[in-house]
Amino acid sequence: MKVVSRLSLPRSAYLDAFLIGAILIVVNLFVDFRDFGLLKLTPSPFFLLPVLLGARYGFGAGVAGGLLASFWVVGGRVLLLQLSPRDVILPNAFLLASLVLSGALTGEIQIYFQRMLDRSKSAGKEMEARIQRMGTNLNALRDSRDELERTIAT
């Protein structure tokens, strides 16, 4: 009977991005409707989207999450505050770029640790094979010793 853990359930970056983004937008609308993107907070909670996606799915999903968060922040401010995109992007260019870069960095770190995990797993499999070969050799030596003892005893 195989036990299914929460970590082995099917994953979907699109579903995660939608859910995390929707939660962030709803929380933002309840907390401060006039400050879409919660830009007055440092760091903005919208950093969660690229960081969580990058940590779970890797570089591409992290960058996509950063772009999506940036798009939502700019789009929300344009739609809700009736600002032009230029008036939103220029003063917040560092934040918007940081959203994308945080996703990329987190994704790269995830890929690094995934490679380390893969190397550890392959080393573990190699060690298991060595142990099995040693067990086989040990059994062969015991059989040889027993046969030698019988031969000497007769």
Side-chain angles (χ1 to χ4, degrees):
M1 179 175 182
K2 183 177 178 182
V3 177
V4 178
S5 75
R6 288 183 287 150
L7 296 176
S8 66
L9 292 175
R11 305 183 310 180
S12 169
Y14 300 114
L15 179 63
D16 286 353
F18 174 75
L19 290 176
I20 295 168
I23 290 169
L24 287 170
I25 289 170
V26 169
V27 168
N28 188 163
L29 293 175
F30 280 117
V31 172
D32 191 357
F33 180 81
R34 302 295 296 158
D35 182 23
F36 193 83
L38 296 171
L39 300 181
K40 292 178 186 171
L41 293 178
T42 302
S44 171
F46 279 83
F47 273 103
L48 287 174
L49 182 63
V51 168
L52 292 176
L53 288 177
R56 185 159 185 183
Y57 299 105
F59 179 82
V63 170
L67 291 171
L68 188 60
S70 297
F71 176 75
W72 281 344
V73 168
V74 171
R77 291 182 81 80
V78 166
L79 291 175
L80 295 175
L81 303 177
Q82 303 299 315
L83 298 172
S84 72
R86 181 185 173 121
D87 291 339
V88 175
I89 292 172
L90 290 180
N92 300 306
F94 181 76
L95 170 78
L96 300 174
S98 296
L99 287 169
V100 176
L101 291 175
S102 66
L105 181 62
T106 307
E108 279 299 312
I109 291 170
Q110 186 269 353
I111 290 170
Y112 170 76
F113 282 117
Q114 185 64 45
R115 285 185 192 138
M116 285 180 50
L117 178 64
D118 291 344
R119 275 189 247 138
S120 297
K121 284 181 180 179
S122 68
K125 287 180 183 177
E126 183 180 325
M127 291 299 162
E128 285 178 10
R130 283 184 178 181
I131 289 171
Q132 189 171 2
R133 285 193 306 267
M134 287 176 62
T136 303
N137 291 341
L138 179 62
N139 287 336
L141 284 172
R142 283 182 181 159
D143 291 343
S144 297
R145 183 194 68 194
D146 291 345
E147 185 178 329
L148 182 62
E149 286 176 352
R150 278 192 302 264
T151 304
I152 290 175
T154 58

